[in-house]
Amino acid sequence: MEKTQREKRLIFPFSAVVGQEKAKLALLAVAVNPLIGGVLLKGDKGTGKSTLVRALANVLPEIEVVADCPFNCNPKNPMEMCDACYERYERGEKLPVARRKMRVVDLPLSVTIDRLVGTVDIERFLREGKKALQPGILAEANRGVLYIDEVNLLDDYIADSLLDSAAMGWNTIEREGVSFRHPARFILVGSMNPEEGELRPQILDRFGLCVEVSTPMNPEDRIEIVKRVEEFHEDPMKFYKKYEDLEKKLTGRIVNARKILPKVEISEDLLKLLAETVIDLGVKTNRAEITTVKTAKAIAALDGRRKVSLEDLEKAMELALPHRLKDKPFQKPPQMRPPKPKDDKEHNHDHKGDHKHEHKKEEGGEGTNQGSQNRGTGNLEQNFRSSEAKIPRIESRNLDGSEFRGYRSSRDVSITVVNFPKGIPVSYLPPVNDRIKDVDFYNSLVWAVLNGKRPPINLGPEDIRVRVRRAKAPTLWVLLLDSSGSMAVKRRISIAKGTAEKLVENGYIKKSKMALIVARGREAKIHVPPTRSYLEVLEKIEYVPTGGKTPLSSALYKLLLLADRERIKDRSLKVRAFLITDGKANVPLFGRRIKEEIIELAKALKKRGVELNVYDTTGRGINPGLSYIPILKEVAGAKVYSV
């Protein structure tokens, strides 16, 4: 029986993972120095990201904690103690000490805010009549590893609380009259599949290191992976013992590296070389140098050395810089090359020449490819897609003349939900029906006490209260891009695509789903159905051809159908549409007059609560032909911006 229980606790050994040397090095480095700031593993599904992180638990060393404290406080450092332990320390009380293995704590995507930060201990309240804290996941993860699988899918309100604690190193709890603070200093490790959506920049910057994890593409490694997994599944205990010595050696390396880490030095020449490289790459955050130096020292300490070498620095840069090379979302980062000593003038000269040659070659190749795909569209789109002027500078103004910078809205669209266990609690109510999912136990007990009940309290239906929460409403942004022939006049298509790309960036920051409808030819088409793969939307926008008639009615009709279909899945969905057009239309949808169709469609959009924003690309000067933008503004209540 004991053997069976031990087998259930066994996980795949860290040293048995085939390949993934960069990911292993990053995880070992943060285990040596948690101040590096965590690791993000990016890669396709099935590449072993979760296996690698959970295997890390086998090689993490033991730490000293206060034995009777649920927050894993450091008994030797008052700066790493919770309020209760610090009071005992100040009174001169000798704190009991215990040794525990560092833990890997999983943060599920379905976690509630109460489970994350902690809440009132209901059992103690019933037993003793005192308000006390029930620790949350942040308490369990203190001085350990907090692992978030599919971190890019984490709810915003959970991510915000997590970021606050990660930034300050403390978790402050204010719940139903309970005020408490405890340390929350954990190694943040996340994994994600980029195909399922990008990560918010605020969270991305919190990861000190970032590693691209991919499946080995040579047959020998893939065969070895299959053999080891099969062997592990057949007899986990035997497999674990096979790698037990290697696991202990890794633990020993981490323990030894922690001891010598304060004595590891890096030369001024390497620091100068690092600073110059970071400046050349255009990285604006100082975290780049700080994290790289800490990582290089950890790598040197893992090898038992007290001086950082150029090779250590190169490895550290490969881990700490790639995710910091972009100024804006989706910007292609510059190519990162290994640092070279400054006295190698001849090599530096050749290196720069090669870089210029490659740059010209890439530009030429890109233009050739696009030209072959878009013959007949003229030089306009070729200019749009090449060089630094890919997106023209857009100066948008409201109709009253005031400057407009992108799409302005509140950061989130909030909705009030009852009996739904997601969001920030703001109040409580009696349940509106028999389906009770989100009980507010504390206020239910208070209500029972106010009605004359005394402990032990048996809650009746009349005492139950459910939480009222404020949650972020799910949003869908639909881009309607007019790429008809009239949009080729005066570079309108370049401006339209530039505006669309800015909107995609804003949607990425707000974590909204996005869809793309293109109006061109006889009928508008949905080029990208609702998705969080923003790179796919950008790619489709870039290669949309220009020419043909303007089916504006068809585009609005497709918008209505899309909104109705998505709201069947989620009634609380907020739909925002962004129509980028010159306002022209010359293709009827139902064979009637275009003006009548657009009026009817505009009324339907307003009735269904679709928020319409129109970007008018006509600009100043004389614009012949009828524009339907004023109708959309008047009938649909659209906000109109002159680009």
Side-chain angles (χ1 to χ4, degrees):
M1 184 69 179
E2 182 181 351
K3 182 180 178 182
T4 304
Q5 290 176 345
R6 288 185 64 190
E7 285 181 1
K8 287 181 179 178
R9 290 198 299 268
L10 286 177
I11 56 178
F12 199 84
F14 189 84
S15 53
V17 176
V18 178
Q20 310 300 356
E21 298 305 322
K22 277 190 181 181
K24 288 180 182 178
L25 182 62
L27 292 170
L28 291 175
V30 295
V32 171
N33 187 1
L35 294 178
I36 289 172
V39 179
L40 175 65
L41 304 178
K42 299 174 68 175
D44 295 331
K45 53 187 176 293
T47 51
K49 302 183 295 294
S50 301
T51 301
L52 196 58
V53 176
R54 295 192 171 97
L56 181 65
N58 282 337
V59 298
L60 290 176
E62 291 183 341
I63 55 173
E64 289 187 342
V65 299
V66 178
D68 55 357
C69 177
F71 305 110
N72 300 318
C73 290
N74 188 344
K76 295 181 179 179
N77 187 352
M79 300 301 294
E80 296 182 17
M81 293 181 183
C82 66
D83 291 349
C85 288
Y86 186 75
E87 288 176 7
R88 295 165 64 186
Y89 176 84
E90 285 289 294
R91 291 196 302 265
E93 181 181 338
K94 187 176 181 180
L95 300 173
V97 179
R99 293 186 66 83
R100 295 179 191 160
K101 288 270 290 183
M102 287 179 68
R103 299 177 58 197
V104 176
V105 179
D106 287 288
L107 181 71
L109 295 179
S110 59
V111 68
T112 63
I113 194 72
D114 291 340
R115 178 69 185 101
L116 178 70
V117 303
T119 187
V120 172
D121 190 333
I122 301 298
E123 184 178 348
R124 189 170 176 185
F125 180 83
L126 289 173
R127 187 176 64 250
E128 303 175 13
K130 295 181 180 179
K131 294 177 181 177
L133 179 72
Q134 182 176 352
I137 288 178
L138 292 180
E140 298 173 22
N142 183 39
R143 301 181 69 205
V145 178
L146 182 62
Y147 174 51
I148 313 170
D149 194 11
E150 307 297 348
V151 62
N152 51 326
L153 303 181
L154 196 65
D155 286 331
D156 277 356
Y157 74 101
I158 296 293
D160 290 338
S161 298
L162 185 63
L163 286 176
D164 289 341
S165 298
M168 297 184 294
W170 290 88
N171 179 33
T172 303
I173 303 153
E174 299 287 345
R175 285 285 187 279
E176 289 89 13
V178 176
S179 181
F180 195 82
R181 194 176 72 138
H182 70 80
R185 303 181 181 186
F186 45 80
I187 301 169
L188 185 62
V189 179
S191 62
M192 60 174 281
N193 181 358
E195 291 180 356
E196 296 174 349
E198 296 296 324
L199 191 63
R200 278 176 57 189
Q202 297 94 326
I203 302 180
L204 182 61
D205 195 46
R206 291 297 173 192
F207 289 101
L209 310 178
C210 182
V211 183
E212 295 281 348
V213 180
S214 58
T215 305
M217 297 309 292
N218 61 78
E220 293 79 12
D221 284 348
R222 296 178 79 105
I223 291 170
E224 185 62 26
I225 290 172
V226 173
K227 287 181 178 179
R228 292 188 185 184
V229 171
E230 286 297 306
E231 188 179 350
F232 175 73
H233 287 163
E234 286 175 8
D235 192 340
M237 279 295 296
K238 182 179 178 182
F239 187 80
Y240 180 77
K241 286 180 178 178
K242 180 179 177 180
Y243 289 91
E244 192 171 11
D245 289 341
L246 289 175
E247 298 286 277
K248 288 180 179 178
K249 285 181 182 178
L250 276 176
T251 304
R253 282 181 64 193
I254 295 172
V255 172
N256 184 60
R258 286 184 172 185
K259 289 178 181 177
I260 68 174
L261 183 64
K263 301 174 184 177
V264 177
E265 297 177 350
I266 182 170
S267 67
E268 286 292 326
D269 290 340
L270 288 181
L271 284 174
K272 188 176 180 182
L273 184 62
L274 170 63
E276 290 173 350
T277 304
V278 169
I279 291 170
D280 290 343
L281 291 171
V283 180
K284 295 181 179 179
T285 173
N286 290 120
R287 281 199 181 109
E289 293 99 318
I290 294 169
T291 304
T292 303
V293 169
K294 289 184 184 299
T295 307
K297 287 184 175 182
I299 293 171
L302 281 167
D303 287 343
R305 291 180 281 104
R306 299 190 179 186
K307 194 168 183 179
V308 174
S309 67
L310 178 61
E311 185 181 357
D312 297 331
L313 188 62
E314 289 179 358
K315 290 179 180 178
M317 289 175 64
E318 290 177 1
L319 300 174
L321 297 185
H323 62 302
R324 294 187 167 97
L325 295 181
K326 298 188 293 183
D327 288 339
K328 299 177 181 179
F330 319 115
Q331 176 187 352
K332 290 183 180 179
Q335 186 176 3
M336 194 177 77
R337 298 176 183 272
K340 297 296 178 184
K342 199 158 186 178
D343 58 351
D344 192 359
K345 294 180 180 178
E346 183 179 350
H347 183 82
N348 282 344
H349 176 75
D350 294 342
H351 176 76
K352 290 178 181 178
D354 291 344
H355 180 71
K356 289 178 181 178
H357 177 73
E358 286 180 11
H359 182 69
K360 289 179 180 178
K361 186 178 180 180
E362 286 175 5
E363 283 186 353
E366 189 175 292
T368 304
N369 183 41
Q370 289 164 359
S372 64
Q373 290 183 12
N374 296 282
R375 291 173 183 170
T377 60
N379 295 326
L380 180 63
E381 289 190 77
Q382 292 178 14
N383 293 335
F384 168 72
R385 291 173 183 157
S386 63
S387 76
E388 295 294 329
K390 176 183 172 183
I391 304 176
R393 180 173 177 175
I394 302 166
E395 295 181 357
S396 304
R397 296 186 176 273
N398 297 328
L399 292 185
D400 60 3
S402 60
E403 188 173 354
F404 170 74
R405 296 181 181 274
Y407 175 68
R408 292 181 296 188
S409 72
S410 59
R411 183 174 171 273
D412 292 327
V413 177
S414 296
I415 56 174
T416 302
V417 292
V418 180
N419 211 20
F420 183 73
K422 285 192 177 184
I424 301 171
V426 293
S427 184
Y428 60 91
L429 288 172
V432 293
N433 52 43
D434 294 333
R435 297 177 61 191
I436 301 173
K437 296 181 180 178
D438 191 22
V439 177
D440 187 335
F441 286 105
Y442 177 78
N443 283 301
S444 297
L445 292 168
V446 170
W447 197 262
V449 171
L450 291 175
N451 286 334
K453 294 185 178 181
R454 293 291 178 265
I457 296 174
N458 292 319
L459 292 177
E462 70 281 0
D463 302 317
I464 297 296
R465 294 295 179 268
V466 294
R467 287 188 176 92
V468 179
R469 296 180 182 265
R470 187 175 70 250
K472 179 189 174 185
T475 54
L476 171 63
W477 288 18
V478 184
L479 305 182
L480 296 95
L481 180 62
D482 179 358
S483 68
S484 59
S486 63
M487 290 292 288
V489 179
K490 296 182 180 179
R491 299 181 66 248
R492 288 175 187 168
I493 189 62
S494 298
I495 294 171
K497 289 184 176 183
T499 303
E501 187 157 332
K502 289 290 183 185
L503 288 167
V504 175
E505 289 182 10
N506 287 341
Y508 156 71
I509 292 170
K510 298 177 190 299
K511 288 195 73 175
S512 295
K513 276 190 173 183
M514 304 209 74
L516 174 65
I517 298 175
V518 176
R520 176 180 176 271
R522 301 296 305 176
E523 181 185 9
K525 294 181 180 179
I526 299 176
H527 276 226
V528 182
T531 181
R532 281 197 175 91
S533 179
Y534 307 100
L535 288 171
E536 180 186 358
V537 181
L538 283 175
E539 187 176 327
K540 293 289 186 180
I541 289 171
E542 184 175 353
Y543 292 103
V544 165
T546 306
K549 295 189 175 182
T550 311
L552 182 58
S553 301
S554 177
L556 297 175
Y557 182 63
K558 289 287 174 68
L559 169 62
L560 279 170
L561 294 179
L562 183 63
D564 288 346
R565 187 180 69 201
E566 292 301 310
R567 279 177 173 163
I568 291 174
K569 304 173 186 176
D570 189 341
R571 290 184 179 180
S572 63
L573 183 71
K574 304 294 181 183
V575 181
R576 290 179 176 145
F578 303 89
L579 174 61
I580 308 169
T581 181
D582 57 6
K584 306 296 190 291
N586 50 26
V587 180
L589 179 63
F590 302 111
R592 293 179 292 179
R593 293 182 59 190
I594 295 175
K595 182 177 179 180
E596 293 175 358
E597 289 182 346
I598 290 178
I599 290 174
E600 287 185 20
L601 290 165
K603 288 179 179 178
L605 287 170
K606 187 173 184 180
K607 184 178 179 181
R608 286 169 169 80
V610 176
E611 181 184 315
L612 183 60
N613 301 271
V614 180
Y615 290 78
D616 186 355
T617 62
T618 53
R620 300 171 184 173
I622 300 173
N623 295 288
L626 176 63
S627 173
Y628 293 95
I629 292 176
I631 294 176
L632 294 174
K633 181 184 178 185
E634 180 182 351
V635 180
K639 296 177 182 178
V640 180
Y641 307 103
S642 179
V643 183

